[in-house]
Amino acid sequence: MGRFILTLDQGTTSSRAIVFDREGSIVSSGQVSFRQYYPKPGWVEHDPDQIWESQILAVEQALETIGPDDIGAVGITNQRETTVLWDRITGKPLHPAIVWQCRRTAHICDDLKSQGLEDYVRNTTGLLIDAYFSATKIKWILDSDPVIRDKAVRGEVCFGTVDSWLLYKLTGGRVHATDVTNASRTMLWDINRMCWDERLLRILDIPRSVLPEVRDSSGFFGEAEIMGRKIPVTAVAGDQQAALFGQTCYSPGDIKNTYGTGCFILCNTGDRKVVSESGLLTTVAYSISGKPAYALEGSVFNAGSAIQWLRDEMGMISKASECDELAEQVGDCNGMYFVPAFTGLGAPYWDMYARGAAVGMTRGTTRAHFARAVLESLAYQSRDVIEVMRSDSGVDVTSISADGGASASNVLMQFQADILGISVVRPVNRESTALGAAFLAGLSAGMWSGFDELRSIRKTDRVFAPGMDDSRRDLMFRGWKKAVTCAGKWAEDENR
Ligand code: ADP
């Protein structure tokens, strides 16, 4: 096989292409942004053709000097849940892609809840009923236009998440497929029996024929035509699951945390499907040779966004890395806490009326304390989610792997280790998402032999060992809980 793996990393705001070598190092890359459409408040759309064109341009950039000849296999990773419907006969999109963030189907979700379907959906799909997931987006498009619905009934419509759409285009319309990680974000996939759920399809009035074939995350998907050459696509995985894989979280209890705009935390639970009592999602982590591994997923809504806020709205810093420099000047927050509940709080509080709070300040509180409190809030919120993962799953968590923009902060990484009482491992290559898709593709294509080899490839930049004694950790975490109480239900009266 060729010397390199090409990953297509199709994200929410840009399409990227990254070439990896056998050592997991980046050889070359390309990136092309595309337009976001906001046709109404709360609505978010992409143009499927622009997604495709930007992706191909990114590939051409990445292959500009090395060419396609040395590429042995292609892996695809993608923004999850975003919904594309296209014409099976012409291959043309039938509607703008409805992006995962789009809230237009909230009323359909309310209706499903009022039918008492929450337990059924959670036990079958592992998900909470929410507009994020593809199911209600498909229904919305089919209901919006009788012409599309008629075509769908005749079997002439394909639905796909963005991976399926790219795969279809790459293979010249020959393959209509997805992988289990993406299927498990549609709210139509039964994670127990590993098949589409007929009851949910019936309730949502979605014809079975629109759905893609579902395959392992690592395995042959089809031949892609790239710059005049045929190259096998051997992996597909949703972005967060790919990051878990790239972080080599292959054992139950392995956790990765991506510190981006929000935090995305996934915990491998092995062959156990843990149903959360606290609002975490159960999802497929990956599937290889017909054997699925599962994960618990939790997220923090506002993480790096709080650092952006400090820069853009408060003007306290001029760039994100300055937060670290300020925080380093002080060893602690001098008793202050910051709760970035700008849009409410997720697990384990689920309080959409919570709002931001800064508490515990004295006349001695400085800008440095404030900056540090903002950084620490990412770690406290992550601990909240990880504690729930521990208690829901009963797994023993011994370390977490970090990536994402804010994992550059040494203060944050050290404090995360301190407040969790476990080590935080930061890899050299923090492109975990693209690397994970490359790992999955290379496993199937025979570039790597198995998990042990992948673990040996991943190089650690730094391990942050916990250095705080138990009593101080408990004291500080109690303070955080008190601060959260202050932020809680703050805006409850707003709509009265
Ligand atoms: P996303 O993929 O969600 O856009 P990224 O993984 O690119 O996010 O991370 C961007 C976030 O990381 C921003 O919110 C930014 O505030 C934060 N960030 C970037 N560099 C640093 C840093 N040195 N210290 C703290 N936060 C940082």
Side-chain angles (χ1 to χ4, degrees), residues 400-475:
I400 72 166
S401 303
D403 53 48
S407 70
S409 163
N410 291 334
V411 171
L412 169 60
M413 295 292 96
Q414 184 56 53
F415 188 73
Q416 184 72 85
D418 288 343
I419 205 66
L420 280 168
I422 58 175
S423 295
V424 175
V425 182
R426 186 173 66 189
V428 174
N429 180 352
R430 276 177 266 152
E431 296 289 354
S432 308
T433 301
L435 185 63
F439 279 176
L440 286 162
L443 272 184
S444 168
M447 181 175 272
W448 297 297
S449 56
F451 289 168
D452 287 343
E453 189 176 5
L454 296 179
R455 285 193 185 100
S456 74
I457 289 171
R458 179 168 165 274
K459 293 172 199 74
T460 299
D461 166 45
R462 201 165 149 186
V463 178
F464 296 84
M468 193 180 273
D469 65 55
D470 291 351
S471 60
R472 182 158 170 76
R473 177 181 308 121
D474 292 346
L475 184 73

Side-chain angles (χ1 to χ4, degrees), residues 285-305:
Y286 49 85
S287 159
I288 300 174
S289 306
K291 198 168 167 290
Y294 294 90
L296 267 179
E297 174 172 327
S299 50
V300 170
F301 303 148
N302 283 290
S305 57

Side-chain angles (χ1 to χ4, degrees), residues 13 240 258-264 303-309 311 317 319-325 375 378 403-410 412 430:
T13 57
Q240 297 306 323
T258 301
Y259 298 84
T261 310
C263 284
F264 277 99
S305 57
I307 293 158
Q308 288 167 354
W309 170 81
R311 183 191 62 197
I317 51 173
K319 56 180 192 296
S321 57
E322 212 182 305
C323 206
D324 227 31
E325 290 160 25
L375 270 178
L378 276 65
D403 53 48
S407 70
S409 163
N410 291 334
L412 169 60
R430 276 177 266 152

Side-chain angles (χ1 to χ4, degrees), residues 167-204:
L167 188 63
Y168 181 86
K169 296 293 281 183
L170 284 165
T171 58
R174 282 188 296 277
V175 181
H176 180 211
T178 188
D179 89 300
V180 283
T181 67
N182 278 294
S184 74
R185 314 298 296 188
T186 57
M187 215 174 86
L188 293 170
W189 180 255
D190 181 337
I191 60 168
N192 306 296
R193 293 182 301 133
M194 293 299 248
C195 60
W196 297 115
D197 185 68
E198 297 293 343
R199 181 170 174 207
L200 284 169
L201 287 171
R202 227 175 16 252
I203 291 167
L204 289 162

Side-chain angles (χ1 to χ4, degrees), residues 172-357:
R174 282 188 296 277
V175 181
H176 180 211
T178 188
D179 89 300
V180 283
T181 67
N182 278 294
S184 74
R185 314 298 296 188
T186 57
M187 215 174 86
L188 293 170
W189 180 255
D190 181 337
I191 60 168
N192 306 296
R193 293 182 301 133
M194 293 299 248
C195 60
W196 297 115
D197 185 68
E198 297 293 343
R199 181 170 174 207
L200 284 169
L201 287 171
R202 227 175 16 252
I203 291 167
L204 289 162
D205 199 12
I206 297 174
R208 177 80 172 69
S209 64
V210 304
L211 300 172
E213 185 192 325
V214 182
R215 303 189 186 164
D216 281 337
S217 324
S218 180
F220 181 70
F221 279 84
E223 296 274 359
E225 175 124 5
I226 291 177
M227 293 169 80
R229 275 187 54 90
K230 288 219 179 326
I231 307 174
V233 178
T234 57
V236 171
D239 54 10
Q240 297 306 323
Q241 282 93 335
L244 186 76
F245 204 85
Q247 286 276 26
T248 65
C249 294
Y250 306 140
S251 304
D254 286 352
I255 288 187
K256 76 92 194 174
N257 190 359
T258 301
Y259 298 84
T261 310
C263 284
F264 277 99
I265 307 170
L266 266 76
C267 176
N268 187 321
T269 59
D271 55 13
R272 282 174 56 221
K273 294 171 288 283
V274 177
V275 176
S276 169
E277 298 301 322
S278 325
L280 301 183
L281 306 176
T282 313
T283 199
V284 181
Y286 49 85
S287 159
I288 300 174
S289 306
K291 198 168 167 290
Y294 294 90
L296 267 179
E297 174 172 327
S299 50
V300 170
F301 303 148
N302 283 290
S305 57
I307 293 158
Q308 288 167 354
W309 170 81
L310 212 52
R311 183 191 62 197
D312 301 340
E313 274 72 30
M314 302 305 281
M316 267 198 218
I317 51 173
S318 57
K319 56 180 192 296
S321 57
E322 212 182 305
C323 206
D324 227 31
E325 290 160 25
L326 276 174
E328 261 169 1
Q329 295 170 11
V330 287
D332 59 37
C333 300
N334 201 15
M336 108 159 249
Y337 289 87
F338 181 71
V339 186
F342 301 131
T343 52
L345 287 169
Y349 310 105
W350 296 111
D351 178 357
M352 58 183 174
Y353 297 112
R355 290 295 178 268

